[in-house]
Amino acid sequence: MKNGESIVNLAEKYALNYNPIDSIEALFSTKSYELERRGIDEVVVEIQGKWNNMLLFFSWEENMRCLHFSCLMDIETAIEDRSKIFELMALANEELWVGHFSYWTEENMPVFKHSVILDNSDKENFENKIARIIEIAVKECERMYPVFNVVLTKGMDPHQALYPMLMETAGQA
């Protein structure tokens, strides 16, 4: 920060003059995805995943200039002991570079989350950036779906459920 420049002036300098939710809506509306604009700062998109449909939630917080993204995996828990769920999330999050897994307690479902702080310089490259984040989230959710499923529905030990994911394969089948 330059001498005499206040935080407010700095924030105004980098303020967005666009709503990234509009760009997300435009990105998905060109394809045949189920999309619902829930307000000026929120949009939900349903996509077909490898295992089942996933809901992508995008929410824009203008004051923080932060775009929050969530990818909901539709797996309802059948176990009462939530300690296994949280242990699994901790183990899974250790391997992630972008985003994290969380648990939506209200819906009893795992969710992948990521947030991005944006400024005007991001506008030009925004669609590429958000497409990459979505790609990472979907890939991680599809990779972890079988693991979450067996822990949430069968109560399998998280270490045991993750073991096949940690094994390296040699060659091709």
Side-chain angles (χ1 to χ4, degrees), residues 93-105:
N93 286 337
E94 287 178 359
E95 304 299 319
L96 296 177
W97 279 66
V98 173
H100 67 279
F101 285 104
S102 185
Y103 190 72
W104 190 3
T105 321

Side-chain angles (χ1 to χ4, degrees), residues 5-141:
E5 189 173 28
S6 75
I7 292 175
V8 172
N9 291 342
L10 190 62
E12 288 173 357
K13 180 178 173 181
Y14 292 105
L16 288 180
N17 54 14
Y18 77 102
N19 183 340
I21 297 296
D22 296 334
S23 298
I24 292 167
E25 185 176 33
L27 177 71
F28 281 102
S29 65
T30 61
K31 299 164 176 54
S32 56
Y33 291 107
E34 186 116 1
L35 182 134
E36 179 187 349
R37 183 79 182 243
R38 293 188 172 173
I40 193 165
D41 296 331
E42 188 176 334
V43 68
V44 179
V45 181
E46 185 174 356
I47 65 167
Q48 177 61 49
K50 182 178 181 177
W51 305 102
N52 69 358
N53 287 353
M54 289 184 265
L55 291 178
L56 309 179
F57 293 88
F58 299 89
S59 181
W60 172 241
E61 170 45 60
E62 189 172 2
N63 292 331
M64 290 192 300
R65 293 169 182 77
C66 183
L67 179 69
H68 179 77
F69 165 66
S70 298
C71 182
L72 179 68
M73 291 186 284
D74 190 10
I75 309 171
E76 291 190 40
T77 184
I79 61 170
E80 295 294 321
D81 181 11
R82 291 196 179 165
S83 65
K84 289 182 179 184
I85 297 164
F86 295 112
E87 181 181 0
L88 175 59
M89 285 186 303
L91 293 168
N93 286 337
E94 287 178 359
E95 304 299 319
L96 296 177
W97 279 66
V98 173
H100 67 279
F101 285 104
S102 185
Y103 190 72
W104 190 3
T105 321
E106 187 177 295
E107 296 294 323
N108 291 324
M109 292 180 191
V111 62
F112 181 91
K113 294 181 173 185
H114 186 66
S115 294
V116 181
I117 304 292
L118 299 170
D119 61 36
N120 282 324
S121 66
D122 294 311
K123 186 175 182 180
E124 289 179 28
N125 197 28
F126 176 73
E127 286 188 14
N128 290 333
K129 182 183 269 190
I130 198 65
R132 183 68 180 125
I133 291 168
I134 293 166
E135 180 184 319
I136 290 168
V138 169
K139 178 183 163 201
E140 290 301 329
C141 287

